[in-house]
Amino acid sequence: MNIDQLVDTAEAMMAPGKGIIAIDESTGTIGKRLGAVGVENTEENRRTYREMLLTTPNLGDYISGAILYDETLRQSTRAGTPFSEVMRDAGIVPGIKVDSGAKPLAGFPGEKITEGLDGLRERLEEYVRMGARFAKWRAVITIGDAIPSETCIRANAHALARYAALCQEQGVVPIVEPEVLMEGDHDIETCYAVTEETQRALFSALYEHDVLLEGTILKASMVLPGKDCPEQASADEVAHATLRCLASAVPAILPGIVFLSGGQSDEDATRHLDVMNRIGGTPWPLSFSYGRGMQQAAMKLWGEDMQGNFEAGQQTVYARARDNGLAALGQYVG
Ligand code: 13P
């Protein structure tokens, strides 16, 4: 393990006023999103769409890293430049999603376990050769009737820790992402309790597996009421609950925390991050690693006219990057 390399990469990912764009949707997931804007899920459409995003002029002003899917890391621009090279030239650190998805957890109806550890060492070796410097693994925790179970939380924490250790062995910074889903009618207190337990279980597994926390980034879900909860929360409530939860579960030595957007509106995702940074006082920088929260407006526009709206799509991504970059400093004005 090269400690300096891990620390340097984590520091570059957490550059002040910048965040990460998550464009690592699997072929199935991107297919659903493209379908929703009327675009056929072909390899060439996926490539063109991601070229639109990654070649956005000056994207590196507000974006420190991008998480790609396996297919994208192997692709190039129309003109033949590999995406990893485009990113390096733009000052954007290339990252790669390495899990193979959340599958039903046997014996625990309604719960999921993320798979993808088999052969991961060899896959990471190849990704490093292709230029990846960080990776992502997403675990999914569902809130519902009598769930999550402790078994689900522990099994996912264990998988995240094994993944993180394998990444660091190859000099790759692991983003560990235990996502507590927004689906459901639970209240914000329930989300708080589940998120705190999930994050504590994760860090105890990371300790057990000797993962270097200085070379690890947490991708956290915000503490929110469920989408169907009759009582929604103000931005202040979300920010305070999320900060309290992180303070109680996350070691201060971690180099940074980035949030997922998780199905929040663009405005909510940005506002919540901004309010947290205005409150401030955390030992870690707080930034974003949004997928939908960075892309949904741009994808919709591009989908209306793939050629005609190529540049308009880029302007939309740039505007989202700027708003979120300002929120990472607590300077978003809306
Ligand atoms: P969202 O921001 O759309 O939740 O996606 C982030 C992500 O990378 C999920 O794994």
Side-chain angles (χ1 to χ4, degrees), residues 186-226:
H186 53 273
D187 56 20
I188 190 169
E189 288 79 18
T190 305
C191 180
Y192 179 98
V194 169
T195 306
E196 185 181 64
E197 188 185 345
T198 299
Q199 290 175 353
R200 287 184 178 180
L202 169 62
F203 283 97
S204 83
L206 294 175
Y207 286 130
E208 273 170 38
H209 287 258
D210 256 336
V211 171
L212 182 85
L213 295 187
E214 296 93 317
T216 303
I217 305 283
L218 173 66
K219 179 157 172 170
S221 44
M222 296 182 194
V223 176
L224 300 159

Side-chain angles (χ1 to χ4, degrees), residues 22 24 136 138 177 179 219 260-263 289-293:
D24 59 332
K136 189 198 90 172
R138 170 174 175 259
E177 180 185 15
E179 176 174 3
K219 179 157 172 170
L260 58 100
S261 58
S289 172
Y290 296 156
R292 284 161 286 179

Side-chain angles (χ1 to χ4, degrees), residues 22-24 48 92 124 128 148 151 169 176 246 272 286 321 324 327:
I23 56 169
D24 59 332
T48 306
I92 296 171
L124 281 164
V128 168
T151 306
E169 184 186 82
V176 288
L246 294 171
H272 291 154
L286 303 177
N324 290 318

Side-chain angles (χ1 to χ4, degrees), residues 31-277:
K32 284 185 213 140
R33 308 232 166 115
L34 289 174
V37 299
V39 174
E40 201 189 337
N41 189 18
T42 62
E43 182 175 349
E44 181 53 17
N45 284 345
R46 293 191 296 274
R47 195 203 60 74
T48 306
Y49 172 65
R50 285 161 170 159
E51 172 168 351
M52 186 271 290
L53 298 174
L54 290 171
T55 58
T56 295
N58 305 315
L59 191 63
D61 291 352
Y62 300 105
I63 295 294
S64 58
I67 317 171
L68 308 186
Y69 184 59
D70 179 281
E71 174 184 271
T72 317
L73 188 58
R74 299 173 193 280
Q75 287 172 329
S76 302
T77 62
R78 197 184 174 84
T81 312
F83 285 139
S84 58
E85 212 174 298
V86 170
M87 292 166 69
R88 260 198 312 275
D89 291 348
I92 296 171
V93 184
I96 179 80
K97 181 238 286 294
V98 301
D99 66 68
S100 53
K103 308 284 158 61
L105 178 62
F108 290 80
E111 298 200 277
K112 291 193 163 161
I113 179 72
T114 299
E115 297 189 345
L117 289 169
D118 287 358
L120 181 55
R121 175 177 282 124
E122 292 72 25
R123 285 195 290 131
L124 281 164
E125 283 167 359
E126 188 191 10
Y127 290 142
V128 168
R129 285 197 298 274
M130 291 194 286
R133 288 174 55 201
F134 72 95
K136 189 198 90 172
W137 178 290
R138 170 174 175 259
V140 177
I141 304 296
T142 310
I143 300 179
D145 215 11
I147 59 171
S149 65
E150 200 182 321
T151 306
C152 175
I153 289 176
R154 280 180 190 278
N156 276 294
H158 179 255
L160 277 161
R162 285 197 54 205
Y163 140 80
L166 281 162
C167 285
Q168 293 189 339
E169 184 186 82
Q170 303 299 330
V172 169
V173 168
I175 292 187
V176 288
E177 180 185 15
E179 176 174 3
V180 177
L181 294 179
M182 280 172 74
E183 277 67 34
D185 61 1
H186 53 273
D187 56 20
I188 190 169
E189 288 79 18
T190 305
C191 180
Y192 179 98
V194 169
T195 306
E196 185 181 64
E197 188 185 345
T198 299
Q199 290 175 353
R200 287 184 178 180
L202 169 62
F203 283 97
S204 83
L206 294 175
Y207 286 130
E208 273 170 38
H209 287 258
D210 256 336
V211 171
L212 182 85
L213 295 187
E214 296 93 317
T216 303
I217 305 283
L218 173 66
K219 179 157 172 170
S221 44
M222 296 182 194
V223 176
L224 300 159
K227 267 190 201 143
D228 302 325
C229 177
E231 207 176 319
Q232 288 300 310
S234 68
D236 253 15
E237 287 166 330
V238 170
H240 280 286
T242 304
L243 289 175
R244 188 158 55 91
C245 183
L246 294 171
S248 106
V250 182
I253 199 160
L254 209 74
I257 298 174
V258 291
F259 292 98
L260 58 100
S261 58
Q264 300 180 68
S265 69
D266 286 359
E267 173 62 19
D268 281 357
T270 304
R271 180 73 59 193
H272 291 154
L273 176 62
D274 184 64
V275 176
M276 282 188 258
N277 278 308

Side-chain angles (χ1 to χ4, degrees), residues 288-307:
F288 62 92
S289 172
Y290 296 156
R292 284 161 286 179
M294 274 296 303
Q295 296 180 62
Q296 55 204 359
M299 184 189 273
K300 189 162 177 293
L301 193 62
W302 173 80
E304 286 166 11
D305 179 355
M306 287 191 267
Q307 279 180 355

